[in-house]
Amino acid sequence: MTALFDRHREMLDDAVKAVQSRAFWTPFPEVPSGKIYGESAKADGEAAYAALLGQPFALPGHPESRRAGAEVSPFGGALGITYPAADVPALIAAAEAAAPALAEAGPEARVGICLEILTRLNRISFLLGNATMHTTGQAFAMAFQAGGPHAQDRGLEAVAVAWSEMTRFARDAIWEKPQGKAAPLVLEKHWTLVPRGLALTIGCNTFPTWNSYPGIFASLATGNPVIVKPHPGAILPLALTVRVAREVLAEAGLPADAVLLAVDEPGAEVTKALASDPAIRLIDYTGSATFGGWLRDNARQAQLFTEETGVNSITLAATDDYAGMCANLAFSLSLYSGQMCTAPQNIYIPRGGIDTDEGHKSFDAVAAALAGAIDDLLADPARAAGVSGALANPATAARLEGLRGQGRVVRDSAGEGRLRSPLLLAVEDGQPGPQDGECFGPVAFLIAVADADAGITAAAEIARRKGAITAALYDTDEPRIARAIRAFADAGVNLSINLTGNIFVNQSAAFSDFHVTGGNPAGNASLTDTAFVASRFTRVMWRRPLRQAT
């Protein structure tokens, strides 16, 4: 059963090295090029996606009592795909039936299966890109990367950490304790890795694979059957994932029901019933803090790994590349219409302005420059569509409309329907308003503060209180930069300093960046550190006196 492990051992070894070194590495190219994925890959992916529309989605052997699915593309039109749906007891029973064989398979077999699943998912990255685009509103280039290779990287990272943790210690040992003149005590000791139990992965609407793969593959590699519960608006990317996983499991001689799909529709949700079932022992969740709180209160039987809402901030203190700073921020604010968990929202600017390589700039001049940089970036409609994509949820557009009166409009949001550009609002520090919590979508608040240190303090404090996944600082004063590094570390938020090139605060790289720290209210887990993986199994020992050979 270890043939797949042997096939992919080199990739696994390289992944383990990358996790340890934190240097750049990936086996899954992020460029959607025919030279890499095959000359017909783009057309094949589009055709495969089109063939799924309006059809029942096939998952052979999957529990099914009805069909469900009501996805609508943010770019227009219902997908018309229906998926096999089953009641919670049927899903739990199927997963429990698969659990013994998955546990008995052992680390090598399970890790090999995970690596084969990821390799096959990479081959259908163009299909996953189209599926992600039409369920999340991401533009295709981003959907291809985030829904395909980057998500696969995160899954592989979780598998590499799981392998390292499962093999960190010896499985067997001869323990011999000297007893002076008496014969030594000699025991044989054996350790068994015992999975925690059934795992539930609760997907989100905006990054269904990227956010879900770490939990799915960490649980599966460590022997826990996984029930995948997609967001009702973004089922297809995870349904494709489940299908590939089930195919590989069956080919390897293990129960396909070690990976299951839990589909529901708005108004008939099954998430709460699944999450609170006593059989569910692991939950991976990405979404609002409101539902995260419900899980903490009502799913106490399970180990919970969360990424939740937060307020990401940028502090502008000074810069030696004013144009580069504005261009970088314009892209960060516009990318996927602010719908990334890493997107900046609050921008703290000293009331007296900042020093730059172009001279001193007042608060209003900085605000106008940021607005102008966004206008320049989005001036070409084709480029604007490629950067901004569409709003995943129409409620985001409605929320945006209600924000205009919450500050001085520096730049109004343009567009209609689900196509919207960033709204910039100027407010005063300490002024109550929506900037005190997460405002999901294309909006940023330019907050006037007394000075740069006050901005650093305010940004760190809101991360501590409300949570944050990212923070950024632009400054040229090294002692103040050192103070900021300490402040944001204490707040448990990752900090980027003086990004002006083709790297943005929004980006989080697998094998190098730990996504979320688990150190503030934006999430209690980090993708993918030891704690994220090691608590998915326990080590249980049996021992006895060593029998002497006769």
Side-chain angles (χ1 to χ4, degrees), residues 119-198:
T119 300
R120 294 193 191 184
L121 288 170
N122 183 249
R123 293 175 193 156
I124 62 167
S125 290
F126 277 90
L127 170 56
L128 287 167
N130 280 281
T132 301
M133 174 181 176
H134 287 288
T135 54
T136 69
Q138 296 173 28
F140 179 76
M142 182 178 185
F144 175 88
Q145 292 179 343
H150 290 178
Q152 295 147 18
D153 280 342
R154 278 298 185 193
L156 178 55
E157 182 183 36
V159 174
V161 176
W163 174 250
S164 296
E165 291 305 312
M166 290 189 292
T167 59
R168 179 180 294 275
F169 305 110
R171 299 183 190 182
D172 307 284
I174 302 299
W175 184 83
E176 184 171 337
K177 181 179 181 181
Q179 295 294 300
K181 294 181 180 180
L185 298 175
V186 184
L187 297 177
E188 60 171 308
K189 298 185 178 184
H190 305 268
W191 289 270
T192 301
L193 303 182
V194 181
R196 286 285 186 182
L198 304 191

Side-chain angles (χ1 to χ4, degrees), residues 63-107:
E64 179 179 346
S65 60
R66 62 191 182 282
R67 284 268 156 176
E71 296 158 292
V72 176
S73 171
F75 298 105
L79 271 60
I81 304 172
T82 59
Y83 304 87
D87 296 331
V88 170
L91 292 171
I92 296 292
E96 288 182 323
L102 186 65
E104 186 66 25

Side-chain angles (χ1 to χ4, degrees), residues 459-484:
E461 177 58 26
I462 199 167
R464 189 178 293 108
R465 288 188 297 107
K466 297 292 186 176
I469 294 175
T470 63
L473 171 69
Y474 289 85
D475 203 353
T476 56
D477 183 283
E478 288 299 329
R480 190 165 55 206
I481 290 173
R483 294 197 297 274

Side-chain angles (χ1 to χ4, degrees), residues 237-457:
L238 287 174
L240 290 165
T241 302
V242 168
R243 182 157 71 185
V244 171
R246 289 173 62 85
E247 289 171 353
V248 174
L249 284 161
E251 291 171 14
L254 290 176
D257 287 346
V259 179
L260 292 157
L261 186 68
V263 177
D264 60 11
E265 296 175 352
E269 294 85 356
V270 300
T271 314
K272 289 183 176 180
L274 269 171
S276 58
D277 192 286
I280 297 295
R281 304 305 303 278
L282 299 164
I283 298 176
D284 290 278
Y285 167 71
T286 301
S288 72
T290 300
F291 193 72
W294 186 94
L295 289 170
R296 281 184 283 276
D297 291 340
N298 296 278
R300 298 185 180 184
Q301 83 290 348
Q303 173 74 46
L304 182 63
F305 305 91
T306 72
E307 178 189 318
E308 303 175 52
T309 49
V311 181
N312 301 318
S313 299
I314 296 174
T315 302
L316 307 186
T319 180
D320 56 9
D321 185 359
Y322 186 56
M325 179 190 77
C326 292
N328 190 280
L329 291 179
F331 189 87
S332 296
L333 293 167
S334 302
L335 186 61
Y336 188 30
S337 298
Q339 297 172 106
M340 303 178 71
C341 59
T342 52
Q345 174 184 298
N346 288 4
I347 303 178
Y348 295 93
I349 308 171
R351 290 189 189 90
I354 64 173
D355 290 329
T356 82
D357 59 316
E358 299 181 17
H360 188 80
K361 301 292 183 180
S362 68
F363 178 96
D364 286 342
V366 173
L370 289 175
I374 294 172
D375 290 341
D376 291 343
L377 175 68
L378 304 181
D380 177 67
R383 182 168 65 176
V387 172
S388 300
L391 300 181
N393 192 320
T396 304
R399 190 183 312 116
L400 189 67
E401 294 297 330
L403 287 172
R404 284 194 176 90
Q406 301 297 315
R408 175 168 60 88
V409 176
V410 173
R411 183 190 187 279
D412 205 354
S413 176
E416 58 185 20
R418 295 204 193 184
L419 305 177
R420 302 297 179 94
S421 66
L423 170 67
L424 300 185
L425 297 173
V427 299
E428 284 288 324
D429 185 33
Q431 172 184 324
Q435 69 273 14
D436 293 330
E438 183 181 63
C439 292
F440 189 72
V443 60
F445 299 93
L446 310 183
I447 303 174
V449 292
D451 54 31
D453 278 297
I456 291 168
T457 299

